[in-house]
Amino acid sequence: MQERENKFELLKGDKVLWSVILLISFFSVFPVYSASSNLEYIVNSGTTTSHLIKHSFFVVLGLAIMRGVGYFKYEHIGKLSSYLLVFTIALLGLTMFSGQTIDGASASRWLKIPGTPISFQPSSFAYLMLIIYLCRYLTKKIKRERLPIENIFYIFGPVLLVFGLVAKDNGSTALMILMVSLIVMLIGQLDKKYIFGFVGLSSVMIGIFMFLALKTDLIGSNRVHTWMSRVETFTKKENQIEDEADKAKNYQVMQAKAAIVHGGITGMGPGKSALKQMLPQSASDFIFAIIVEEYGFIGATVLIALYLIMIIRIVMIASKMPAFFGSLLVLSLGTMIFMQLTVNIAVAINLIPVTGQPLPLISYGGTSMLVTYIQLGIILNVSSRIQVYDEEGMGKKQSIEEINDIA
């Protein structure tokens, strides 16, 4: 009877993590509703009400998907990851020929489902499936000496393939794919000589890509010149930005900084941002600046504290999980979320050059939000299994046979 109750428990998994997710999800409605007026009056896309309804729909859908993931064993998700990775890589290839433009974004970032108005970003799903695949492969082969050709084909190959397909139009996501993959290899106890080999091979691939994009016409419609311009603008001091071209390139950063300063300690109040109409992507990439302006330093601190609690709970779940695959999977997915969170905030406060990374669970946009809910759903799934493993008497340390069997 107890087992049946646990199976159909509404909030299955870590209750603290559930609470933090629900709080951030509920809060996201307010800044998105406020900042979406930029889409209505500046971009001439929809109305604030329609954007509010759309965002609320994705929040509810995401929470439902997150809970739905709990009905599947996370081991089965790992076993399916190789097939899903192949499928999402095929979708990435398809976007190169039939990608859609969404609100001025790069044309091949989005893929439209035929016969529907729905568009999504295959890169986000490919990124997720790649990390799950790496976790399972590293678990299955944790102590067996691999031949170099195996690492090249089964580890380096998928990572560099996804990187190459994503890098043409989304450089920041492509670099995050390499960085998180490297972290997964380190946590997954891949031999150090292969780690160094991956770093070297990745550096060569990046160099070749940059050369072909900047010096030849082999990679058409790429955004490398845009990235270089952003880095150049970022490295210039404010007193060096004098001509109109440089001011235009630095416009987003200046407006974001102005919004943060305008917010002060207590903020202007919900919906009272004065700069949301002048800040491009105020509902997505730069929504943190709007949050600081409307809710002040205090509001931003509370939000960051919630994110920190989320990350701490993820680390605690990983540390308590006796199954190596579950622990590695939780840490890897947590790293993805932490990386995206850090990059978004760092851009808003001008610590790094401008990139297009959304704020997890808050920024307006369906694909990224749903992927984050899937990540958290898997983490909650793993957390719900900790008690089961304890009841089955599984120790904190697993034998190699147990590790290979469970993945």
Side-chain angles (χ1 to χ4, degrees):
M1 183 67 178
Q2 182 66 35
E3 181 180 351
R4 180 176 298 179
E5 289 176 358
N6 289 338
K7 183 176 180 181
F8 294 98
E9 187 179 0
L10 181 60
L11 303 182
K12 190 175 182 181
D14 188 273
K15 301 300 186 292
V16 175
L17 184 56
W18 260 108
S19 300
V20 171
I21 294 168
L22 290 173
L23 282 172
I24 296 176
S25 299
F26 175 74
F27 169 74
S28 71
V29 173
F30 299 98
V32 166
Y33 178 64
S34 174
S36 64
S37 61
N38 176 284
L39 297 173
E40 177 179 3
Y41 298 111
I42 306 301
V43 184
N44 295 320
S45 172
T47 64
T48 51
T49 302
S50 66
H51 291 305
L52 173 63
I53 293 172
K54 182 178 178 181
H55 179 76
S56 301
F57 168 78
F58 279 115
V59 168
V60 174
L61 178 62
L63 290 171
I65 291 174
M66 185 176 72
R67 180 60 186 88
V69 171
Y71 290 109
F72 301 90
K73 287 188 175 182
Y74 72 88
E75 298 94 334
H76 294 166
I77 297 174
K79 291 176 181 179
L80 287 172
S81 62
S82 56
Y83 302 102
L84 294 173
L85 177 61
V86 171
F87 177 68
T88 53
I89 287 175
L91 292 180
L92 283 176
L94 186 60
T95 59
M96 297 181 69
F97 303 100
S98 58
Q100 301 293 315
T101 301
I102 304 293
D103 292 337
S106 180
S108 32
R109 291 186 187 183
W110 300 81
L111 191 64
K112 187 175 181 180
I113 300 177
T116 72
I118 301 173
S119 298
F120 66 98
Q121 290 179 300
S123 59
S124 297
F125 290 102
Y127 180 17
L128 174 61
M129 289 303 116
L130 173 66
I131 298 305
I132 298 175
Y133 161 81
L134 286 178
C135 290
R136 180 173 186 264
Y137 183 80
L138 290 170
T139 303
K140 290 288 289 184
K141 310 294 182 181
I142 186 171
K143 290 297 182 184
R144 187 175 70 77
E145 181 66 24
R146 304 179 187 85
L147 297 172
I149 190 66
E150 285 185 280
N151 286 324
I152 292 173
F153 187 78
Y154 292 109
I155 300 180
F156 300 173
V159 174
L160 295 176
L161 178 59
V162 173
F163 166 79
L165 291 171
V166 173
K168 175 177 175 290
D169 299 295
N170 199 335
S172 60
T173 297
L175 287 176
M176 288 172 64
I177 287 171
L178 289 182
M179 293 173 63
V180 174
S181 297
L182 178 61
I183 293 172
V184 173
M185 293 177 203
L186 287 168
I187 301 173
Q189 301 179 23
L190 182 64
D191 194 292
K192 295 297 186 295
K193 63 184 178 183
Y194 294 122
I195 298 290
F196 290 123
F198 176 76
V199 172
L201 185 58
S202 299
S203 300
V204 171
M205 287 286 292
I206 293 173
I208 293 174
F209 175 81
M210 296 292 287
F211 175 80
L212 293 177
L214 293 172
K215 303 296 183 180
T216 72
D217 295 325
L218 295 177
I219 305 179
S221 302
N222 65 80
R223 292 170 54 84
V224 176
H225 290 284
T226 302
W227 310 336
M228 299 294 287
S229 176
R230 286 177 175 176
V231 172
E232 181 183 354
T233 302
F234 175 76
T235 55
K236 286 186 177 181
K237 297 180 180 178
E238 289 190 21
N239 57 12
Q240 294 177 319
I241 301 176
E242 297 178 352
D243 59 60
E244 294 302 319
D246 284 341
K247 289 180 180 179
K249 293 176 185 178
N250 207 44
Y251 179 78
Q252 294 182 91
V253 173
M254 297 303 294
Q255 295 301 319
K257 290 168 68 176
I260 291 173
V261 172
H262 193 221
I265 301 297
T266 58
M268 306 304 297
K272 296 181 180 179
S273 166
L275 294 168
K276 60 190 176 186
Q277 307 295 359
M278 294 175 279
L279 178 59
Q281 304 299 328
S282 60
S284 52
D285 300 346
F286 283 93
I287 198 166
F288 183 75
I290 302 302
I291 291 173
V292 178
E293 184 184 10
E294 294 190 349
Y295 299 90
F297 175 79
I298 295 175
T301 301
V302 171
L303 178 61
I304 292 174
L306 289 174
Y307 278 124
L308 286 177
I309 294 172
M310 176 189 292
I311 299 301
I312 291 170
R313 294 305 297 186
I314 290 173
V315 173
M316 290 177 64
I317 291 167
S319 66
K320 292 179 181 178
M321 186 62 183
F324 183 81
F325 174 58
S327 181
L328 177 60
L329 184 60
V330 168
L331 282 176
S332 301
L333 296 177
T335 300
M336 292 176 68
I337 296 171
F338 177 75
M339 191 79 71
Q340 183 178 328
L341 166 68
T342 304
V343 169
N344 178 276
I345 294 177
V347 168
I349 60 179
N350 198 30
L351 289 180
I352 62 174
V354 174
T355 66
Q357 295 301 316
L359 190 62
L361 298 180
I362 291 184
S363 289
Y364 182 73
T367 304
S368 176
M369 179 173 286
L370 293 182
V371 167
T372 302
Y373 278 116
I374 293 172
Q375 293 169 330
L376 291 168
I378 296 173
I379 292 170
L380 287 166
N381 185 321
V382 174
S383 73
S384 70
R385 298 290 297 282
I386 294 174
Q387 183 179 355
V388 174
Y389 284 138
D390 288 342
E391 290 173 354
E392 291 177 353
M394 182 180 290
K396 290 297 180 184
K397 298 291 184 182
Q398 289 179 285
S399 68
I400 299 304
E401 291 74 19
E402 286 175 320
I403 289 175
N404 289 339
D405 178 66
I406 205 163

